[in-house]
Amino acid sequence: MQKFTSVQDVANIDELVNEALHLKQNPYKYKQLGENKTLGLIFLNPSLRTRLSTQKAALNLGMNVMVMNLDKEGWALETQEGAIMNGTTVEHIKEAAAVMGEYCDILGIRSFPKLQNRDEDYNEELLQQFIDYAGIPIVSLESATRHPLQSLADLVTITEKKPAGKKPKVVLTWAPHVKPIPQCVANSFAEWMGQANVELVITHPKGYDLAEEFTQNATVTTNQDEALKDADFVYVKNWSSYIDYGKVLTEGEGWMMNNEKLALTNNAKVMHCLPVRRNVELSDEILDGSNSLVLQQANNRTYAAQAVLKRILETL
Ligand code: CP
């Protein structure tokens, strides 16, 4: 694997899931693989899970890890080609990414969308510039449009928990939130589930359709109750509008997942990538109950990252 920015970078997702499950049983088996190799983790946005699980994954593989909150600790980055840098930006990404490439063997980068200009965000300009200028393999720690390490961990979790001998019904349901949230997790989850052996249904209020490139293998409905019928897994997530880009179109009354809605399902396992707004997106009763898989998902982030780093290390 030369980079990990979307499901398209994975030749066989079943093999990668099995690799993650194998690493979960044998976390230190490949401790020699990362010896004298350095992972750089660059954050332009906050993180708890991605930061700690990816560090742990790298340490399990014997790697050195350097972490930088570039938005707070680095020089203000210029990303425009040909910019006359007589304003507030101090360092061009051409040098910054290339310097990081000198210090590291693999580079992870987190950069959320600004949610102001859809074309700018969906062109993944910053991620592409890191790929172009760093000169080393890049791992997305969540980009403007996708969160592939999360989606891989989610697929690992579904693989572990799915009912035996059945293609599981997986429902991705929109949930309310207090502010505009990127589409990344929902896009990525839809994209990965579209390649997995599951029946995928996406439900959201009118106006919240995701970009078609991510939902090609899904049934999409605005009737949440209908969608939830017989579900084996319910993945709860808010996202802002893609069509009316970055806007919140409704407060989403009645869309929060709770035990009443859970009763419509096949005793579904409930998933969320975290952080979650309790009693806005998901009720306490679900998060504190036995159907919640949120901690298992978070735990599997380590082995998802470890599988990806192992695959990349094997190519160095
Ligand atoms: N799910 C997830 O990516 O969590 P963090 O934002 O805390 O990394």
Side-chain angles (χ1 to χ4, degrees):
M1 193 186 290
Q2 304 297 326
K3 65 179 169 68
F4 184 75
T5 60
S6 82
V7 75
Q8 273 91 43
D9 295 320
V10 181
N12 184 320
I13 58 169
D14 293 332
E15 283 179 12
L16 192 60
V17 167
N18 287 336
E19 177 106 63
L21 290 169
H22 171 70
L23 289 164
K24 191 170 180 177
Q25 297 306 316
N26 308 277
Y28 310 116
K29 186 174 173 185
Y30 302 95
K31 191 94 183 164
Q32 308 303 318
L33 190 63
E35 199 177 336
N36 300 327
K37 296 281 189 284
T38 300
L39 173 69
L41 297 176
I42 304 301
F43 288 89
L44 287 118
N45 310 95
S47 169
L48 187 160
R49 279 142 291 270
T50 305
R51 180 174 175 144
L52 296 184
S53 64
T54 312
Q55 280 190 67
K56 184 173 173 185
L59 295 172
N60 286 354
L61 290 166
M63 299 185 79
N64 303 310
V65 190
M66 299 191 298
V67 186
M68 186 171 185
N69 297 313
L70 193 66
D71 57 328
K72 296 181 187 73
E73 298 160 355
W75 299 110
L77 272 191
E78 178 58 61
T79 58
Q80 294 303 313
E81 181 71 34
I84 298 168
M85 290 174 53
N86 58 1
T88 54
T89 55
V90 179
E91 175 155 43
H92 203 283
I93 191 166
K94 285 187 178 184
E95 284 81 43
V99 167
M100 292 176 204
E102 296 291 330
Y103 299 151
C104 304
D105 298 284
I106 302 173
L107 198 60
I109 172 83
R110 167 169 280 198
S111 175
F112 290 171
K114 295 190 179 75
L115 291 180
Q116 280 158 15
N117 181 316
R118 188 169 85 179
D119 289 342
E120 266 179 29
D121 288 343
Y122 274 69
N123 281 340
E124 291 281 11
E125 186 183 303
L126 194 82
L127 181 66
Q128 191 55 49
Q129 287 178 312
F130 270 96
I131 292 167
D132 291 344
Y133 302 133
I136 57 172
I138 297 293
V139 174
S140 167
L141 305 175
E142 189 168 349
S143 69
T145 63
R146 292 174 172 89
H147 195 356
L149 283 176
Q150 180 67 53
S151 307
L152 174 56
D154 296 336
L155 184 53
V156 170
T157 310
I158 287 172
T159 304
E160 285 180 312
K161 302 291 180 184
K162 69 183 176 188
K166 184 188 173 206
K167 184 172 176 172
K169 179 176 177 183
V170 177
V171 177
L172 168 61
T173 180
W174 183 93
H177 206 282
V178 298
K179 63 177 191 175
I181 297 292
Q183 296 97 32
C184 316
V185 170
N187 284 345
S188 219
F189 185 76
E191 187 172 53
W192 280 72
M193 290 303 129
Q195 305 254 330
N197 186 28
V198 304
E199 178 197 347
L200 176 63
V201 178
I202 302 173
T203 184
H204 54 70
K206 204 163 166 283
Y208 281 91
D209 301 73
L210 297 166
E212 277 178 23
E213 64 181 293
F214 299 104
T215 62
Q216 280 165 3
N217 296 327
T219 303
V220 182
T221 172
T222 55
N223 186 334
Q224 190 192 40
D225 286 358
E226 189 63 35
L228 290 173
K229 264 186 209 156
D230 301 324
D232 298 299
F233 295 90
V234 179
Y235 199 98
V236 179
K237 188 72 187 89
N238 174 268
W239 61 90
S240 58
S241 177
Y242 171 76
I243 298 163
D244 195 356
Y245 190 63
K247 297 284 187 308
V248 174
L249 307 178
T250 172
E251 289 184 5
E253 197 182 334
W255 278 81
M256 183 181 77
M257 193 69 199
N258 55 21
N259 273 354
E260 199 182 322
K261 290 184 185 293
L262 194 59
L264 299 169
T265 71
N266 182 28
N267 195 24
K269 298 293 183 191
V270 180
M271 304 176 71
H272 189 289
C273 64
L274 305 180
V276 63
R277 297 267 182 161
R278 278 179 173 251
N279 303 310
V280 176
E281 295 175 86
L282 253 170
S283 66
D284 278 339
E285 57 196 4
I286 288 189
L287 282 164
D288 296 334
S290 58
N291 290 64
S292 171
L293 289 183
V294 299
L295 296 183
Q296 288 91 333
Q297 287 173 263
N299 184 32
N300 282 333
R301 289 293 306 272
T302 299
Y303 308 105
Q306 201 169 329
V308 167
L309 293 173
K310 176 175 178 285
R311 288 287 173 96
I312 295 175
L313 284 169
E314 285 164 348
T315 69
L316 297 181

